[in-house]
Amino acid sequence: MDKSLIRNFSIIAHIDHGKSTLADRFLLFTGAIDERKFKNQLLDDMDLERERGITIKASAVRIDYQADDGKTYVFNLIDTPGHVDFTYEVEKSLRACEGALLVADASQGVESQTLANFYLAIDNNLEILPVLNKIDIASIDLDHAKLQMMEILKFKEEDIQLVSAKEGIGIKELFEKIVAFIHPPDGDETDPLKALIFDMKYDIYKGIIIYVRIFDGAIRPDMRIKMMHMDKEHTIEEVGIFKPEAVKVKELCCGEVGYFTCNIHEPRNVRVGDTITEAARPTAKPLEGYRHLNPLVFCGIYPVNTKDFLALREAIEKLRLSDPSLVYEPETSQSFGNGFRCGFLGLLHMDIVQERLQREYDLNLILTTPNVQFLVHKKDGTTIELESPTELPDSSQINNIEEPYLTVTILTPVAHMDSVMEMAKQKRGVFVESQYVSDRMKIIFDIPLSEVIVDFNDMIKSITRGYGSIDYKFKGYHEAKISKLDILLNDKVCDAFSCLVHKDHAYEKGLALVTKLKSLIPQQLFEVRVQAACDGRIISSARVKAVGKNVTAKCYGGDITRKRKLWEKQKEGKKRMKQVGNVEIPQEAFLAALKL
């Protein structure tokens, strides 16, 4: 195939600025999908994506476009997520492209993730084409939105494309601009095969379907290939493209994007970012893989039924195929038995992984309270990375503890600036700088990760009435006063609720957990004492009363000693039950603890 007719590009934007709608409109405009089969969010093929109205996985599709110059161009388009937790998906996709459409909502303008994605695209040396979407909205100020694109991101006015993905306005002009603006792929078909794995998914019949971008050479069925980083050889069985459903082809040439299968069923044998080459005629140097992203949030995942442990392990391995940012290792809990300690890029990422494991693999799971990774410097000079509160050494062995900090960039209307800064300070934030960005303020704070992950984004949205947005990147570790908070049920530590907190916030967190658990733990046949302990002392306590049972209901009249004898017997029974009885904690209690 003629390389000069290929255009590989991603659609990147802030969340809810219309990436998926624009991808849908591209497919409809070029006739890649029939009007009768069309549905919104066509490339979002996960039920979860459609329900929540967000993109979680990047999706690749190939469309043919008949240009004004009479030539038929091939567009390899990748639709990407907008949420900050899925930045890794965006980064993976950008490596397979030469260009990117940077979409901004004309009514919202440039937001924090617009900026973050813009710099990601620059880091990958891509041609960036600015697109203002939703121009059909009546109350927008188009000139102001254009000015923001020109002032903040330094685009030329003639390059900014005006479209309405919903109404189909400006799509033809955008296609012509893509042909002229984004350059065709480089590479040589006669060179040895060099291709990048940028995504994968598991198919029960074909095994692992590998998404690939060819940089040099060509790939065809029955070819013997080598994965350079894994140092494994396989024979190709099927080669194809997505239009948007999978279509088999005879070969994928230099510059093209598609998929292949090798009958690989073991997820450990292949990884995203690996370089594919021909076994008989290998390329001299592999492509640079993806940077390793460190997880920010850790929590334990356990099956409710301990027999499901092997099924959970298999499910996590398959899920990690398409999501390399998920990190896991086996761990054992006193309360739940065997499970996994998993690392995530944020709370939404954790929520999505839990939902996918439960839906796609039919598992019933319990998640422990999320924690961040601390560095514990011991008095003997060693340093340990602490992900689970149960691993915290005795305080006599600890010299100091460091916690992770993020550099958080907040974009807010000027009117809400004071409220935003006040809230950031409440979250132990350290002010770095502020500057005017067009008509808004860009405020930068260094804030502990543990304060940001839970509800910071929601609070910013509510304070700024939906107009504020945040972006964050990892800064490093700083010393902090950290203590372990334990929850005791009838004097037994329940390790699922254990967490590491800042000493100044231990009482509030302990009180909140105890109050929540008191309302959620059902009444048992014996009294349940719920306590929060920190640094060896009880800081909060509550009692769940026992279920009342009238043991004297059948005593009509007679001597009072009969009733007293029954009451004494009941009291003895409850005392014995308290020693051996187990407190039943419903799943809602664990979920409520997560939300705190």
Side-chain angles (χ1 to χ4, degrees):
M1 184 179 178
D2 185 357
K3 277 207 317 288
S4 65
L5 300 177
I6 298 174
R7 299 290 183 273
N8 298 321
F9 61 92
S10 272
I11 304 180
I12 54 176
H14 188 81
I15 192 165
D16 278 344
H17 279 209
K19 296 173 297 299
S20 297
T21 314
L22 187 60
D24 290 349
R25 182 55 61 186
F26 279 5
L27 293 173
L28 268 177
F29 185 84
T30 55
I33 189 78
D34 198 308
E35 284 270 9
R36 292 169 302 168
K37 293 181 184 173
F38 178 73
K39 56 188 178 188
N40 286 335
Q41 278 183 272
L42 192 86
L43 295 180
D44 295 343
D45 48 10
M46 251 191 273
D47 289 343
L48 207 52
E49 292 179 310
R50 308 188 73 77
E51 281 171 26
R52 295 188 178 219
I54 58 172
T55 303
I56 295 164
K57 287 287 305 152
S59 310
V61 66
R62 175 166 166 164
I63 47 183
D64 297 324
Y65 169 62
Q66 183 82 38
D68 288 347
D69 59 10
K71 296 177 184 174
T72 301
Y73 289 86
V74 169
F75 288 174
N76 288 309
L77 149 71
I78 303 175
D79 177 28
T80 63
H83 197 281
V84 68
D85 279 17
F86 304 118
T87 308
Y88 194 64
E89 281 294 318
V90 181
E91 198 172 326
K92 280 195 315 183
S93 309
L94 294 179
R95 292 292 293 279
C97 303
E98 275 77 43
L101 304 188
L102 183 68
V103 179
D105 183 333
S107 62
Q108 304 271 342
V110 176
E111 300 257 29
S112 57
Q113 275 301 103
T114 319
L115 281 168
N117 286 329
F118 173 74
Y119 292 123
L120 261 184
I122 284 178
D123 290 345
N124 284 282
N125 300 317
L126 300 189
E127 296 278 354
I128 306 170
L129 181 59
V131 178
L132 276 177
N133 189 20
K134 307 190 186 181
I135 60 165
D136 56 306
I137 297 173
S139 59
I140 57 163
D141 185 348
L142 256 182
D143 292 334
H144 179 67
K146 272 189 189 177
L147 196 65
Q148 274 197 336
M149 294 287 252
M150 288 151 63
E151 280 184 359
I152 302 168
L153 305 175
K154 306 290 184 272
F155 286 122
K156 296 174 187 164
E157 186 172 3
E158 61 269 22
D159 287 340
I160 299 172
Q161 300 298 296
L162 306 179
V163 302
S164 165
K166 188 179 174 187
E167 301 297 330
I169 302 165
I171 301 297
K172 172 80 177 164
E173 292 79 1
L174 178 57
F175 272 174
E176 289 297 324
K177 187 74 177 177
I178 289 169
V179 169
F181 191 85
I182 295 173
H183 63 81
D186 301 322
D188 193 338
E189 280 187 38
T190 57
D191 283 355
L193 171 65
K194 186 191 278 188
L196 174 77
I197 298 176
F198 69 89
D199 208 352
M200 292 178 280
K201 71 175 180 185
Y202 191 83
D203 184 280
I204 197 162
Y205 302 110
K206 297 177 182 176
I208 295 164
I209 296 173
I210 299 168
Y211 293 45
V212 68
R213 158 71 202 272
I214 316 291
F215 284 92
D216 286 314
I219 197 167
R220 54 188 74 84
D222 301 324
M223 187 185 216
R224 191 77 180 155
I225 57 154
K226 181 182 181 182
M227 294 182 180
M228 297 184 80
H229 292 292
M230 300 296 284
D231 200 23
K232 285 188 165 61
E233 291 190 10
H234 303 278
T235 302
I236 289 189
E237 295 200 340
E238 182 184 315
V239 172
I241 54 173
F242 295 102
K243 287 191 91 174
E245 65 284 339
V247 178
K248 286 186 194 178
V249 293
K250 288 180 181 172
E251 68 172 2
L252 282 175
C253 296
C254 166
E256 291 191 273
V257 174
Y259 74 90
F260 69 87
T261 63
C262 294
N263 198 23
I264 306 172
H265 285 271
E266 188 55 61
R268 294 189 198 94
N269 290 344
V270 60
R271 75 169 184 222
V272 166
D274 207 341
T275 303
I276 304 287
T277 190
E278 193 174 356
R281 193 171 66 119
T283 184
K285 191 178 170 196
L287 292 160
E288 187 187 333
Y290 293 114
R291 68 191 173 107
H292 179 68
L293 270 191
N294 291 322
L296 299 175
V297 181
F298 294 86
C299 86
I301 296 183
Y302 299 90
V304 171
N305 186 346
T306 48
K307 291 177 188 169
D308 290 339
F309 174 71
L310 291 176
L312 175 63
R313 184 171 71 186
E314 193 179 314
I316 288 179
E317 280 180 357
K318 287 177 181 173
L319 197 62
R320 193 173 185 275
L321 271 178
S322 61
D323 187 1
S325 53
L326 170 64
V327 176
Y328 66 96
E329 59 181 40
E331 80 164 1
T332 306
S333 155
Q334 298 167 1
S335 308
F336 308 120
N338 292 328
F340 290 93
R341 187 94 194 145
C342 297
F344 310 92
L345 295 179
L347 279 195
L348 178 66
H349 186 208
M350 184 181 89
D351 192 23
I352 294 297
V353 167
Q354 181 193 1
E355 284 250 9
R356 287 187 69 185
L357 287 171
Q358 288 177 333
R359 286 182 185 210
E360 295 172 27
Y361 302 98
D362 202 23
L363 292 166
N364 198 2
L365 303 173
I366 288 174
L367 274 77
T368 62
T369 311
N371 278 294
V372 299
Q373 189 178 59
F374 295 90
L375 291 182
V376 179
H377 300 287
K378 297 170 76 174
K379 288 183 176 169
D380 61 5
T382 58
T383 300
I384 58 170
E385 293 179 345
L386 188 73
E387 294 164 8
S388 171
T390 52
E391 296 165 7
L392 184 70
D394 189 73
S395 56
S396 60
Q397 302 173 19
I398 298 172
N399 194 16
N400 67 310
I401 301 177
E402 292 184 335
E403 68 174 330
Y405 268 69
L406 299 177
T407 298
V408 181
T409 305
I410 308 164
L411 272 177
T412 172
V414 177
H416 304 293
M417 184 181 83
D418 292 342
S419 311
V420 166
M421 292 181 86
E422 187 60 40
M423 196 194 75
K425 284 172 185 168
Q426 283 173 11
K427 295 281 187 183
R428 296 193 284 130
V430 179
F431 178 72
V432 178
E433 64 167 321
S434 66
Q435 62 188 73
Y436 280 96
V437 176
S438 189
D439 63 332
R440 285 184 290 179
M441 284 297 287
K442 177 179 169 186
I443 309 168
I444 301 174
F445 270 88
D446 288 341
I447 306 180
L449 170 61
S450 55
E451 300 284 350
V452 173
I453 57 169
V454 181
D455 57 357
F456 190 72
N457 193 27
D458 296 346
M459 290 171 82
I460 288 286
K461 287 286 181 200
S462 64
I463 285 176
T464 60
R465 299 181 187 175
Y467 288 103
S469 60
I470 73 164
D471 181 45
Y472 55 78
K473 64 174 186 281
F474 182 65
K475 182 176 190 261
Y477 283 86
H478 295 281
E479 192 174 333
K481 295 184 287 183
I482 301 295
S483 296
K484 183 184 172 192
L485 179 70
D486 282 321
I487 295 294
L488 287 74
L489 299 174
N490 283 350
D491 302 328
K492 285 183 190 168
V493 174
C494 182
D495 57 1
F497 293 115
S498 296
C499 55
L500 297 167
V501 293
H502 194 270
K503 280 186 180 173
D504 297 347
H505 294 180
Y507 174 71
E508 290 93 339
K509 176 92 181 193
L511 180 64
L513 266 172
V514 166
T515 310
K516 199 76 183 168
L517 287 173
K518 184 192 172 188
S519 65
L520 286 170
I521 293 175
Q523 286 184 304
Q524 322 276 319
L525 290 170
F526 50 91
E527 186 181 79
V528 178
R529 260 199 335 278
V530 185
Q531 296 169 311
C534 183
D535 291 337
R537 60 194 179 91
I538 303 296
I539 56 173
S540 181
S541 181
R543 292 170 189 268
V544 180
K545 285 185 179 176
V547 177
K549 185 183 177 188
N550 191 354
V551 288
T552 58
K554 56 184 183 285
C555 295
Y556 297 104
D559 191 0
I560 189 69
T561 53
R562 275 186 69 204
K563 289 185 178 180
R564 282 189 183 137
K565 200 187 269 182
L566 286 169
W567 286 332
E568 285 301 319
K569 199 174 175 184
Q570 184 186 32
K571 201 186 285 181
E572 285 300 314
K574 286 200 174 182
K575 197 184 286 182
R576 191 169 63 251
M577 195 181 279
K578 203 170 187 177
Q579 291 168 354
V580 297
N582 287 323
V583 182
E584 288 183 9
I585 307 172
Q587 174 75 356
E588 297 84 66
F590 293 106
L591 296 175
L594 291 187
K595 290 191 174 78
L596 289 174

